[in-house]
Amino acid sequence: MTDETHVHPRQRMPWHSGIGGRVVITFCTLSLLVLMAVELSELYGLPFGVTKGRVADSTAKELTVLSSIADGNKKLITSWLEERHSDTLSVASAPAVRSLAVQRVRAGKQPADRSLGEWLEVLRSAYRYEAVRIVDPQTGALVAGGADDLPDPPLAPALLAEASRPGNDETVSFLPGGPGRSARLHLVRQVGQDLTLDERPVLLLDCSVDLDQVMKPLLEGSIAGVLGRSGEVVMVDGKRRFLMTTRHPMPGGAPAVPLVTVDGGKAPRLATEGSEGAIRTLDYRGVPVLAAFRHIPLNPEVSWGMVVKIDEAEAMAPVHRQLQRALVFSALGIAVTLCCALVVARVLGRPLERIARTAAEIEGGDLTLRVPLEGTRETIELAYSFNAMVDRLKQSQEGLEQRVVERTLQLEALNRELQQEITGRARVEERLRESNEKFAAAWDSAPVMISLTSLDDWRFLDVNNKFCTTSGFTREEAVGKTAVEIGWIRTEDAVIIREKLAREGRIQDLEITCRTRSGQPLLCRRWGEVITLAGRKALLSIVMDITQYRKVEEQFYQAQKMESVGRLAGGVAHDFNNMLSVILGHAELCLMDPEHSSMQRRHLEAIRDAGARSADITKQLLAFARRQIAEPKVLDLNGTVAGMLRMLERLIGEGIELVWLPGAGPCRVRIDPAQVDQMLANLCVNARDAIAGIGRLTIRTENVVLGEAECRGKGDLSPGAYVLLSIADTGDGIDEPLLEHIFEPFFTTKEMGKGTGLGLATVFGVVKQNQGGIRVESRKGEGTTFDIFLPAVEAGASEGTEEKAAEPIKGGEETILLVEDEPSVIEMSRTILENLGYRLMVARDPEEALRLVEEAEGAVDLLLTDVVMPGMNGRDLAQRLQALRPGLKCLFMSGYTADIIADHGVVHDSVNFLQKPFDVRSLAAKVRSVLSGVAS
């Protein structure tokens, strides 16, 4: 300590900071606490339940009085309700009422006798009912009865239905009383239910009571002179709505409306729930009250709640006056205590003030000063201790100065070592920074999702940019949370990851479904390794989105499945079409015979029609499997659709409006016209079945050009020009889960027997066969739209000619080589062609056909051969025979070409082809056209 040490001036301390002041404050505080404790213990009782004070006693007494009043009121209400039940039972059982019910059962709705109404009016006046009336249980119309000057409105339909329910002898309900009237209690009893077979009442007896006029005076009389001005009895129903007007207004000043205003207090809620008791609570005004509540059951389903209450301020007013007197006495005690404390502080404070002045001089910094040893024994001991403390402080100051010098030398040496360490650490940090930059570049540029997860709580420590762009979560949203918390994976998948990691120590090729921030599911493959970061275990995870790969894989499997189904359909169609050719051919041959009777001809026509329908089903099956044999032509889709409109109108019926919106300019496509008819018919029939009653079916065409973006949402289409054929209906629509199945064969949403399930499958097959695409949009209740995209044809291509009218069957004398492996088809074809005048050479297999041609001496004009045969197909046979007989004309026939003379079911332009099953006219016409050189 130097001589220049600054000395702070001694401030004058307030009187209460010294010992004397503290003595005064202590005495006053203790006196106040003692007096307050005495008074409060008398009012509220000692703590821990030793005794009860006057507040608790007064509260208990008031609650006892309220409970007694509530019990009396409950008995009063119960007795009053029993009397009303007895009244309704007596009136309903009265001979005049029973006689009226019997008359209405026997003779219909008879008017009531006037004397019955007068009697009911006497009952109403005598028992203070608002109305006593008999009403019709179906319409609520008044049959007989009496009412006051303002009659009640008719019973509500819901109350009529409830009161008329069989087995419900009596119904108790509240209804509004109409304009200017309070709510009414209605007791509705069935009359004559024993006279009907269905036990429904013939009449209903309705007795209505105004509780404000009858019950409220009785209840207010029970508390008059007992509870004071704030006392009140409140009645609520099971929904805690007021049954009577209240004494006090609601908090906003508005009056309580019976059956509308709800009592939100605790006591009414407990009463309606079946509880009974007495509590301190808040009433409907929000005012503290003492309340007793009771539960009043009317029947097992209907009950009331009753609350008898008084404001707590009025009930506890005497106790509060006692508390005020206690506070006055406490103030007087404090004044007396203060005077005594001032005298004691004066005697004890003087020696201590001398010690304080000496200590202030030592505080200036001169440690040579000492406190004089004088005064009482206690003050001398205090001064001696203070002087000893100053001596030790002076010694400590001298030792501290020596240690400061030594410590300064040590810090200089440590500073030199620290400079060297900082230089070395800077080099290490530079290398670490370069390493971190390399890692960060690899981390953020990785083409897969990478994340670090703590194995302590499974929260993300960090995620890379690929994770954020793929999942939609920002780094701030992910870090610090678990994958389950942000919705990236499900809880079940998190458990699988943890179990696999615990079992194998790593994660390898684990496939799970993740969900992006928008909720889109992603199929992901996960790898994971456990690493150590800052002494803590963490999981380094690499996640790859394989959703698109899996979709491609599923499309490949679906294509394989469709190919297998197509092969099966083709094989079945080949044999089935052979049989249908025999059936149709023989049926037409028989119909050509005029000797058959009309009955026989009807049977033959039925056989022919059934075969034709079977042929259509086979075509649908082949169209679905993309094995249908098509003869495409370049046509204007607008003209083709317009030509079908009349047929489509008859097909969908008069209740559905058909709207045709052709596209601007020609919409040229290359397709078999029969396939267009087939698609339109199937889609329009489906639309007709989906529309219940009146609706609209819209068909439109349009030339469109699809780019890369549009093609991604339309299946496997390639960018280019297309013709759009759109069919939209206003039907019921299709549920979203069913959309992915509607093109499957034999899948249908129609009732049993109303659909084969091949309609949309056929449309799908036709579209794919013509290198097109189809898209469906539908919502339940909003209709369905099918958009078909067919490749557009340039304007230079020639359009197909219209079909000519049916010509007479013509024959000839040429030689025809018939090659067929099915005996029944051989027999039928031979019969038809020989009847037409042709000479026939028949071979049952390709080897026999080659032998016959080699051995034949005359000319062979036409080869009529099946396409699919064992050993050699029809195309190879034709090539070998044309090598033997140049100029030999060929006509192929088949129900399934197996792409021998067609590409994906489309017949080559240079090939003459006859579709099985065929009839007499088609066979004769095709043979004649090929021999004449008209067909190619």
Side-chain angles (χ1 to χ4, degrees):
M1 183 72 67
T2 63
D3 295 338
E4 298 178 357
T5 302
H6 179 71
V7 179
H8 295 281
R10 184 73 175 185
Q11 296 181 354
R12 183 175 180 82
M13 304 300 291
W15 70 271
H16 57 77
S17 62
I19 294 179
R22 293 176 182 177
V23 170
V24 173
I25 293 174
T26 303
F27 272 99
C28 293
T29 303
L30 290 177
S31 300
L32 177 61
L33 291 177
V34 170
L35 291 174
M36 290 296 295
V38 172
E39 291 297 330
L40 293 177
S41 63
E42 182 180 0
L43 290 174
Y44 297 102
L46 294 177
F48 310 110
V50 177
T51 61
K52 295 183 178 179
R54 275 178 265 174
V55 173
D57 290 340
S58 298
T59 301
K61 290 178 182 179
E62 287 293 335
L63 292 178
T64 301
V65 173
L66 292 172
S67 297
S68 177
I69 296 174
D71 291 336
N73 287 345
K74 179 177 180 181
K75 293 179 181 179
L76 177 63
I77 294 172
T78 303
S79 175
W80 184 84
L81 287 174
E82 290 177 354
E83 292 177 0
R84 302 290 77 75
H85 292 319
S86 177
D87 291 345
T88 60
L89 180 60
S90 299
V91 174
S93 303
V97 177
R98 291 285 297 177
S99 175
L100 177 60
V102 172
Q103 291 178 7
R104 291 177 71 86
V105 171
R106 293 177 179 176
K109 296 184 178 180
Q110 295 294 326
D113 190 1
R114 182 177 182 181
S115 60
L116 177 59
E118 294 175 350
W119 179 63
L120 295 177
E121 173 62 21
V122 171
L123 290 177
R124 184 195 69 78
S125 300
Y127 295 102
R128 299 184 64 186
Y129 286 105
E130 291 297 311
V132 178
R133 55 185 178 177
I134 298 175
V135 299
D136 189 290
Q138 296 179 355
T139 63
L142 179 66
V143 177
D148 57 7
D149 295 336
L150 293 174
D152 287 348
L155 297 181
L159 179 55
L160 282 174
E162 176 64 20
S164 303
R165 181 167 50 86
N168 189 15
D169 293 339
E170 186 178 51
T171 303
V172 180
S173 179
F174 270 94
L175 291 177
R181 304 293 297 270
S182 58
R184 297 292 189 269
L185 170 66
H186 289 263
L187 293 90
V188 185
R189 180 172 287 277
Q190 297 182 355
V191 178
Q193 66 271 25
D194 55 335
L195 301 177
T196 60
L197 296 178
D198 57 359
E199 297 185 356
R200 289 187 174 275
V202 180
L203 299 170
L204 292 178
L205 172 63
D206 174 29
C207 299
S208 61
V209 181
D210 185 350
L211 291 187
D212 275 355
Q213 299 296 326
V214 179
M215 180 59 67
K216 187 174 181 179
L218 296 177
L219 298 179
E220 289 182 345
S222 66
I223 63 174
V226 180
L227 295 185
R229 292 179 300 173
S230 64
E232 185 181 8
V233 180
V234 177
M235 297 284 293
V236 297
D237 63 1
K239 298 180 180 178
R240 289 186 283 163
R241 299 177 300 180
F242 290 107
L243 300 182
M244 302 180 297
T245 57
T246 59
R247 170 174 291 185
H248 309 288
M250 301 301 290
V257 181
L259 292 187
V260 175
T261 308
V262 176
D263 190 344
K266 179 179 180 182
R269 175 175 60 81
L270 295 175
T272 55
E273 291 176 353
S275 301
E276 294 186 351
I279 58 173
R280 178 185 179 276
T281 183
L282 300 178
D283 67 353
Y284 57 86
R285 301 168 295 163
V287 175
V289 296
L290 301 178
F293 53 91
R294 295 293 183 267
H295 179 71
I296 303 176
L298 276 68
N299 55 47
E301 298 179 356
V302 181
S303 63
W304 293 347
M306 178 187 65
V307 179
V308 181
K309 66 183 183 65
I310 184 173
D311 289 359
E312 185 181 17
E314 182 179 1
M316 304 306 294
V319 178
H320 292 161
R321 288 193 290 271
Q322 293 178 5
L323 180 59
Q324 292 173 358
R325 289 196 297 270
L327 293 176
V328 172
F329 289 130
S330 299
L332 293 176
I334 291 173
V336 173
T337 305
L338 178 60
C339 294
C340 297
L342 288 174
V343 174
V344 174
R346 186 76 174 173
V347 174
L348 297 178
R350 289 177 180 175
L352 297 177
E353 289 177 1
R354 287 195 298 269
I355 296 176
R357 285 194 298 270
T358 305
E361 295 176 359
I362 296 175
E363 185 182 4
D366 189 359
L367 297 180
T368 59
L369 297 177
R370 298 294 183 266
V371 177
L373 301 177
E374 58 184 13
T376 63
R377 181 176 59 84
E378 291 82 2
T379 56
I380 293 173
E381 290 180 356
L382 180 59
Y384 181 81
S385 299
F386 187 81
N387 292 335
M389 180 185 66
V390 174
D391 293 338
R392 288 193 299 272
L393 181 60
K394 186 175 182 180
Q395 295 174 1
S396 299
Q397 182 182 6
E398 295 173 352
L400 180 60
E401 292 176 352
Q402 180 63 31
R403 287 195 297 270
V404 167
V405 174
E406 296 175 354
R407 188 61 177 169
T408 301
L409 297 176
Q410 294 176 358
L411 289 176
E412 291 177 352
L414 291 174
N415 187 37
R416 289 191 296 271
E417 296 176 359
L418 182 60
Q419 291 294 335
Q420 296 175 357
E421 183 177 352
I422 290 174
T423 303
R425 181 169 295 183
R427 290 193 293 267
V428 172
E429 288 178 352
E430 178 64 22
R431 291 194 296 269
L432 181 60
R433 183 184 60 79
E434 294 176 356
S435 176
N436 288 338
E437 290 177 354
K438 295 177 182 178
F439 175 78
W443 173 271
D444 292 331
S445 303
V448 294
M449 293 176 279
I450 307 176
S451 63
L452 281 173
T453 307
S454 172
L455 293 182
D456 295 333
D457 52 10
W458 292 93
R459 298 184 183 276
F460 283 118
L461 300 177
D462 198 4
V463 294
N464 71 338
N465 290 339
K466 183 64 175 178
F467 178 92
C468 298
T469 56
T470 303
S471 67
F473 298 102
T474 64
R475 182 174 277 103
E476 291 75 14
E477 292 174 333
V479 174
K481 297 180 181 178
T482 66
V484 176
E485 288 176 348
I486 64 175
W488 177 236
I489 63 176
R490 300 177 303 171
T491 304
E492 299 83 4
D493 295 330
V495 173
I496 294 174
I497 293 173
R498 297 178 186 179
E499 291 178 351
K500 187 176 182 65
L501 186 63
R503 184 174 58 253
E504 302 178 6
R506 61 190 303 185
I507 298 174
Q508 188 74 19
D509 292 331
L510 176 62
E511 290 189 6
I512 61 174
T513 299
C514 303
R515 291 191 177 275
T516 65
R517 194 177 190 275
S518 61
Q520 178 184 359
L522 297 178
L523 182 61
C524 297
R525 182 168 293 163
R526 176 184 289 267
W527 296 266
E529 293 288 345
V530 178
I531 62 176
T532 301
L533 290 177
R536 298 171 56 189
K537 296 291 186 179
L539 178 65
L540 175 63
S541 299
I542 298 178
V543 181
M544 179 182 294
D545 179 10
I546 61 171
T547 306
Q548 294 300 324
Y549 300 108
R550 184 55 52 85
K551 287 182 179 178
V552 173
E553 184 179 0
E554 290 176 355
Q555 291 175 357
F556 174 72
Y557 290 150
Q558 180 68 15
Q560 286 184 324
K561 182 174 68 174
M562 296 293 291
E563 180 66 21
S564 300
V565 174
R567 291 181 182 276
L568 175 62
V572 172
H574 177 267
D575 295 335
F576 193 58
N577 281 331
N578 281 337
M579 297 301 101
L580 289 177
S581 297
V582 175
I583 293 172
L584 292 173
H586 283 293
E588 289 198 348
L589 287 174
C590 291
L591 287 171
M592 295 171 64
D593 188 353
E595 296 182 359
H596 291 294
S597 64
S598 60
M599 178 63 71
Q600 290 173 333
R601 294 185 67 84
R602 283 199 297 272
H603 290 321
L604 291 171
E605 289 172 353
I607 293 173
R608 182 190 60 188
D609 294 342
R613 287 195 298 270
S614 300
D616 291 339
I617 294 175
T618 306
K619 289 180 180 179
Q620 287 183 330
L621 188 61
L622 288 173
F624 152 71
R626 309 179 203 177
R627 294 296 195 274
Q628 184 181 19
I629 301 172
E631 299 183 64
K633 299 179 178 60
V634 177
L635 52 86
D636 182 0
L637 196 58
N638 288 340
T640 303
V641 176
M644 281 195 68
L645 292 180
R646 187 175 299 276
M647 185 273 289
L648 294 178
E649 289 176 345
R650 293 196 301 269
L651 188 65
I652 64 178
E654 297 180 354
I656 301 175
E657 178 188 2
L658 180 61
V659 179
W660 164 232
L661 302 175
C667 298
R668 300 163 60 86
V669 295
R670 181 178 176 83
I671 190 174
D672 191 331
Q675 290 182 328
V676 177
D677 298 346
Q678 194 176 32
M679 287 192 301
L680 286 173
N682 282 328
L683 292 175
C684 290
V685 167
N686 279 355
R688 179 198 64 190
D689 295 341
I691 298 174
I694 305 300
R696 184 172 65 257
L697 175 63
T698 303
I699 304 176
R700 69 180 181 92
T701 58
E702 182 183 357
N703 289 299
V704 297
V705 177
L706 301 182
E708 291 286 350
E710 292 88 348
C711 290
R712 280 197 294 269
K714 298 176 174 60
D716 52 357
L717 292 180
S718 301
Y722 290 87
V723 173
L724 168 64
L725 173 61
S726 178
I727 297 93
D729 64 65
T730 59
D732 291 338
I734 306 172
D735 290 328
E736 186 175 353
L738 302 179
L739 287 177
E740 60 185 23
H741 301 290
I742 60 174
F743 295 118
E744 296 179 1
F746 307 110
F747 177 84
T748 180
T749 58
K750 302 177 183 178
E751 299 178 1
M752 182 68 68
K754 291 190 176 181
T756 62
L758 288 175
L760 292 180
T762 300
V763 174
F764 183 81
V766 169
V767 171
K768 292 303 179 183
Q769 188 177 26
N770 290 276
Q771 289 78 49
I774 184 169
R775 180 185 64 182
V776 57
E777 293 182 357
S778 180
R779 287 187 178 181
K780 194 63 177 176
E782 299 183 8
T784 304
T785 300
F786 288 89
D787 290 336
I788 299 173
F789 297 87
L790 297 174
V793 177
E794 296 180 358
S798 60
E799 296 188 10
T801 58
E802 297 182 355
E803 294 183 358
K804 298 180 180 179
E807 298 180 356
I809 298 177
K810 297 181 180 179
E813 299 179 352
E814 290 88 346
T815 300
I816 299 175
L817 172 60
L818 174 62
V819 184
E820 172 63 56
D821 61 339
E822 180 60 42
S824 57
V825 178
I826 292 176
E827 184 64 27
M828 184 269 297
S829 303
R830 181 204 295 263
T831 302
I832 295 174
L833 294 175
E834 287 181 347
N835 288 342
L836 293 174
Y838 295 108
R839 294 187 296 274
L840 264 294
M841 298 171 60
V842 178
R844 300 182 182 276
D845 55 56
E847 297 297 333
E848 184 179 359
L850 291 171
R851 182 176 55 80
L852 289 177
V853 171
E854 290 175 351
E855 296 175 354
E857 296 180 357
V860 179
D861 300 295
L862 176 65
L863 169 65
L864 177 59
T865 178
D866 193 5
V867 176
V868 180
M869 295 181 294
M872 185 184 302
N873 60 56
R875 184 190 62 186
D876 295 342
L877 174 63
Q879 291 175 351
R880 294 185 61 177
L881 290 179
Q882 286 176 340
L884 295 175
R885 297 290 180 100
L888 175 65
K889 298 179 179 180
C890 298
L891 174 59
F892 299 99
M893 58 179 179
S894 180
Y896 165 54
T897 66
D899 287 343
I900 295 173
I901 60 171
D903 288 332
H904 303 290
V906 180
V907 178
H908 301 158
D909 294 337
S910 61
V911 174
N912 296 315
F913 177 73
L914 178 62
Q915 171 75 53
K916 288 183 181 180
F918 51 79
D919 54 15
V920 174
R921 181 177 298 277
S922 60
L923 176 61
K926 196 69 175 179
V927 169
R928 188 68 264 163
S929 65
V930 174
L931 288 173
S932 301
V934 177
S936 59

